[in-house]
């Protein structure tokens, strides 16, 4: 039985939202980290699933179009949906693009009950998406016994809220749709939205019972419970809470509370929450959005410092903006203590772009009073901070100072004005490192420490040209030196002509052949590298590709 203090939550879920943010003909899939993140109905009908490797997906569906994820477009296209839901209550929480939630208590009373509210929200969202209302998108009160029969535990249809697997749709459906669900607490409401049902108050535990334990979002715990003979959420919920805490620790206790239809943690009533919001006013008004992003980074750092000083963490952060003509806009973003100052500033940028794309700040003042006058970050859902392990010798303090100094430099030079070097996979010296704007996350498309046949020995050139420069390589008779497909050299290297100047070759080694992407004609490359010593003791790195020679780098 759900706790009386577990709030009723309504969730709007748009299946396959990353697909809605890209262009392409069905079947199409969005990729991230070398795997399928989301796919269209046509791709799903061919056997493509979330989490599959790209090669497997393309083997199952040869005509599949692959698109990289575009989070900024996801936010911008989701803004009309959030605005439609905001018409019922300003307390809209954006969990991520494609998924948002609102509390039911106040709006439910005003609009004539939960079922009436869910129907009105579903119609408003359908209008925002420009689609006719799908009957299954309007939830009705579900009979829990019927729901048990409809969700076999072995199918694993439910997923934790951090994922985005789509429910079955009609083949060929390309336009974005939405489903609405209501239940006790956010976790159960997300699953209710995916099922398109309204779970009666107090019966959330029964609704969750047939789902597999993987729905709780903890893979390690789900694997352990499966070995213990507890494959479903209901079987796990039946265990005594004290025994779960002793056996599985804090993470198991949180999962057990979710399985019982409770909040992830007991509520901690507070007499009065401290005002930890941070803000920056602009006088005169700032006409551009980009300076607000730089300010947002500084405000985010101040917000984290205030939270740390109070020993608190927050579940959400409200981004609030005011304009010179009196208009205001705000949006809640999920935080849960995981967003760094840089990540929070990025969400401010996404939100500003989404508002601008939706015309939220379109000027309607004939007097021309345009611009932003206020940016405010307000924490929401405060709770005690459980702490974190600090490094020895003050490393964490030093890192904080570096981050603050970098923020000041970026405010002057721009976000991409200060970069850091990250290792990357590749064979050439120009491919083994990349420059990434400071604070931006980076994941190498291919691991730098993987085997790289044809990679040069561990002697790094001192100078790497941005673009390889064409050169001529001649033998002793003045004929061009060539390299065949078996890496055989036609003659000894005698002269290198660089920018019209001849350099005598005193010694050389190589070739190091490399055949890359032979399976993809659009990316396939065949080349070989030579290390050459010329007059004066200088060393050059030469590359031959397609019969042409290039100067790639130089050694001291």
């Amino acid at each position: 039985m759900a706790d009386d203090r577990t709030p009723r939550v309504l969730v709007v879920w748009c299946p396959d939202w990353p697909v809605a943010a890209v262009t392409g003909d069905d079947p199409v899939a969005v990729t991230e980290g070398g795997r399928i993140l989301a796919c269209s109905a046509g791709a799903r009908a061919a056997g493509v699933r979330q989490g599959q490797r790209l090669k497997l997906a393309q083997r199952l569906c040869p005509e599949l179009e692959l698109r990289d994820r575009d989070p900024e477009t996801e936010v911008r296209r989701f803004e009309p949906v959030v605005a439609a839901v905001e018409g019922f209550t300003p307390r809209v929480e954006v969990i991520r693009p494609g998924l948002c939630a609102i509390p039911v208590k106040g709006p439910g009373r005003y609009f004539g009950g939960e079922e009436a509210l869910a129907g009105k929200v579903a119609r408003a969202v359908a209008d925002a998406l420009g689609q006719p209302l799908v009957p299954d998108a309007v939830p009705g009160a579900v009979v829990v016994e019927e729901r048990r029969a409809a969700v076999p535990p072995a199918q694993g249809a439910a997923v934790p809220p951090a994922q985005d697997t789509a429910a079955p749709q009609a083949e060929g459906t390309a336009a974005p749709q939405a489903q609405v669900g209501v239940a006790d607490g956010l976790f159960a409401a997300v699953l209710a939205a995916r099922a398109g049902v309204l779970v009666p108050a107090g019966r959330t535990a029964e609704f969750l019972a047939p789902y597999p334990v993987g729905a709780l979002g903890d893979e390690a715990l789900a694997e352990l419970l499966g070995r213990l003979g507890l494959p479903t959420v209901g079987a796990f919920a039946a265990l005594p809470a004290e025994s779960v805490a002793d056996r599985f620790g804090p993470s198991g206790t949180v999962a057990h509370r979710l399985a019982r239809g409770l909040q992830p943690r007991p509520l901690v009533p507070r007499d009065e929450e401290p005002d930890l919001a941070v803000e920056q006013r602009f006088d005169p008004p700032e006409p551009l959005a980009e300076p607000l992003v730089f300010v947002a980074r500084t405000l985010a750092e101040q917000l984290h410092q205030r939270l740390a000083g109070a020993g608190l963490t927050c579940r959400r952060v409200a981004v609030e903006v005011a304009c010179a003509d009196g208009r205001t806009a705000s949006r809640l973003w999920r935080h849960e203590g995981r967003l760094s100052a840089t990540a929070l500033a990025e969400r401010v940028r996404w939100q500003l772009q989404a508002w601008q794309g939706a015309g939220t700040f379109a000027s309607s003042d004939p007097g021309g009073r345009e611009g932003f006058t206020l940016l405010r970050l307000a924490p929401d859902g405060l709770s005690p901070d459980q702490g974190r392990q600090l490094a020895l010798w003050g490393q964490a303090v030093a890192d904080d100072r570096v981050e603050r100094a970098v923020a000041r430099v970026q405010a002057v030079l721009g976000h991409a004005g200060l970069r850091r070097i990250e290792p990357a996979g590749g064979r050439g010296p120009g491919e083994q490192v990349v420059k990434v704007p400071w604070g931006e996350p980076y994941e190498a498309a291919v691991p730098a420490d993987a085997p790289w046949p044809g990679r040069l020995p561990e002697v790094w050139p001192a100078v790497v040209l941005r673009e390889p420069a064409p050169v001529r390589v001649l033998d002793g008779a003045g004929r061009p030196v060539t390299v065949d497909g078996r890496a055989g050299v036609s003659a000894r290297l005698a002269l290198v002509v660089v920018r019209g100047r001849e350099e005598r070759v005193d010694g050389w080694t190589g070739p190091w052949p490399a055949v890359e992407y032979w399976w993809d004609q659009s990316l396939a490359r065949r080349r070989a590298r030579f290390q050459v010593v010329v007059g004066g003791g200088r060393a050059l790195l030469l590359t031959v590709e397609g019969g042409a020679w290039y100067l790639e780098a130089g050694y001291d």
Side-chain angles (χ1 to χ4, degrees):
M1 184 69 66
D3 192 295
D4 291 339
R5 294 181 293 177
T6 302
R8 299 284 288 172
V9 178
L10 181 149
V11 167
V12 176
W13 174 57
C14 299
D16 301 319
W17 190 255
V19 177
V22 300
T23 57
D25 297 329
D26 200 12
V28 63
V30 175
T31 66
E32 186 176 52
R35 293 181 180 269
I36 300 296
L37 176 67
C39 61
S40 64
R44 196 159 42 250
V48 179
R49 295 292 183 269
Q50 182 193 42
Q52 283 181 344
R53 293 188 179 274
L54 302 187
K55 290 185 179 180
L56 175 58
Q58 289 176 314
R59 185 161 63 245
L60 294 171
C61 185
E63 64 275 16
L64 181 67
E65 292 188 30
L66 299 179
R67 297 288 186 271
D68 293 332
R69 187 179 188 185
D70 188 349
E72 295 183 14
T73 304
E74 291 177 28
V75 174
R76 185 173 64 253
R77 293 199 61 179
F78 194 55
E79 181 60 25
V81 176
V82 178
V85 179
E86 206 169 38
F88 298 89
T89 174
R91 302 297 294 174
V92 180
E93 177 182 340
V94 179
I95 301 170
R96 64 181 178 277
L99 190 68
C100 64
I102 61 173
V104 170
K105 183 177 180 180
R109 290 177 178 176
Y110 183 82
F111 290 100
E114 294 180 352
E115 193 167 347
L117 172 65
K120 292 178 182 295
V121 170
R123 292 182 179 86
V125 171
D127 291 341
L129 293 173
Q131 299 297 322
L133 181 64
V134 179
D136 292 342
V138 183
V142 64
V143 179
V144 176
E145 288 74 13
E146 294 179 357
R147 181 62 186 151
R148 281 185 177 180
V151 184
Q155 289 183 354
V159 295
Q163 300 181 16
D164 206 6
T165 300
Q169 298 180 19
E171 185 173 354
T173 299
Q177 301 287 344
Q179 293 183 188
V180 177
V182 181
D184 297 327
L186 177 62
F187 170 75
V190 170
L191 296 180
R194 296 173 185 230
V197 298
L198 190 156
V199 181
R203 305 195 67 180
T204 296
E206 297 176 68
F207 166 75
L208 295 174
Y211 282 96
V213 288
L216 297 172
D218 190 328
E219 294 182 5
L221 178 63
E223 181 182 359
L224 177 57
L225 292 176
R227 294 202 302 266
L228 295 176
L230 301 170
T232 65
V233 172
F236 180 48
L239 298 178
E242 295 80 6
S243 300
V244 171
D246 292 339
R247 176 63 178 83
F248 302 106
S251 61
T253 300
V254 170
H256 191 247
R257 290 185 62 84
L258 291 177
R260 293 156 57 202
L262 305 179
Q263 292 281 66
R265 58 177 177 271
L267 297 181
V268 182
R270 299 179 62 87
D271 296 334
E272 183 179 356
E273 290 189 348
D275 183 10
L276 301 177
V278 292
E279 64 180 38
Q280 175 67 49
R281 297 185 178 274
F282 302 94
D283 187 13
E286 176 56 56
L288 301 177
E290 193 65 24
L292 270 69
V293 178
F294 298 140
V295 172
R297 187 190 296 267
T298 303
L299 292 180
E301 292 175 350
Q302 295 175 4
L303 177 62
H304 286 173
Q305 291 173 1
R306 289 192 178 188
L307 289 170
L312 299 172
T313 185
C314 65
R315 294 169 57 194
R316 297 172 293 270
V317 172
V319 179
E320 303 175 4
V321 172
C323 297
D325 57 6
R327 286 174 297 173
T328 61
S330 64
R331 184 72 72 243
L332 283 171
W333 280 91
R334 202 78 174 173
H335 188 287
E336 294 185 335
R338 292 194 293 265
L339 294 182
S340 64
T342 301
L344 188 54
E346 277 295 295
R347 280 151 180 79
V348 172
R349 180 169 67 88
W350 294 348
Q351 191 59 64
L352 289 172
Q353 291 177 343
W355 278 331
Q356 289 180 323
T360 303
F361 302 127
S363 177
S364 59
D365 184 3
R369 295 178 301 164
E370 300 178 356
F372 302 100
T373 59
L374 173 70
L375 173 63
R376 187 170 187 265
L377 303 181
D380 185 71
L382 298 176
S383 61
D385 190 357
Q386 300 300 322
R388 61 191 179 101
Q389 180 66 46
L390 297 177
L392 297 176
W393 320 121
Q395 182 63 41
V397 176
D399 289 344
D400 290 342
R401 291 176 179 173
V402 171
E403 289 291 341
R404 286 196 296 270
V406 167
R408 289 193 293 268
V409 174
Q410 285 183 314
V412 177
L413 301 181
H415 183 58
L418 189 61
R419 304 189 181 194
R420 69 182 191 276
I421 302 298
E422 291 287 349
R427 294 176 173 83
E431 300 168 349
Q432 297 180 37
V433 294
V434 294
K435 297 178 181 179
V436 182
W438 190 282
E440 288 285 343
Y442 172 73
E443 293 185 6
V446 288
D449 56 354
W452 291 97
R455 176 180 280 185
L456 296 174
E458 293 289 338
V459 179
W460 285 86
V463 178
V464 179
L465 277 66
R466 294 184 180 224
E467 294 292 337
V471 298
R472 296 170 57 208
V473 178
L474 308 175
D475 61 12
R479 294 186 298 266
V481 176
T482 61
V483 180
D484 61 26
R486 293 179 175 269
V489 185
S490 63
R492 295 181 60 86
L493 283 62
L495 291 174
V496 177
V497 183
V498 182
R499 299 185 181 91
R501 185 180 61 184
E502 294 185 354
E503 299 274 3
R504 181 174 54 84
V505 176
D506 294 336
W508 58 277
T509 182
W512 283 275
V515 180
E516 302 172 307
Y517 299 103
W518 51 265
W519 60 89
D520 188 339
Q521 292 299 320
S522 62
L523 300 176
R525 301 186 70 176
R526 180 188 293 268
R527 50 186 170 172
R529 291 184 170 87
F530 292 76
Q531 290 174 326
V532 178
V533 178
V534 296
R538 294 189 305 116
L540 308 176
L541 178 62
L542 304 181
T543 302
V544 58
E545 180 177 6
W549 289 83
Y550 301 92
L551 173 61
E552 190 172 4
Y555 299 87
D556 283 343

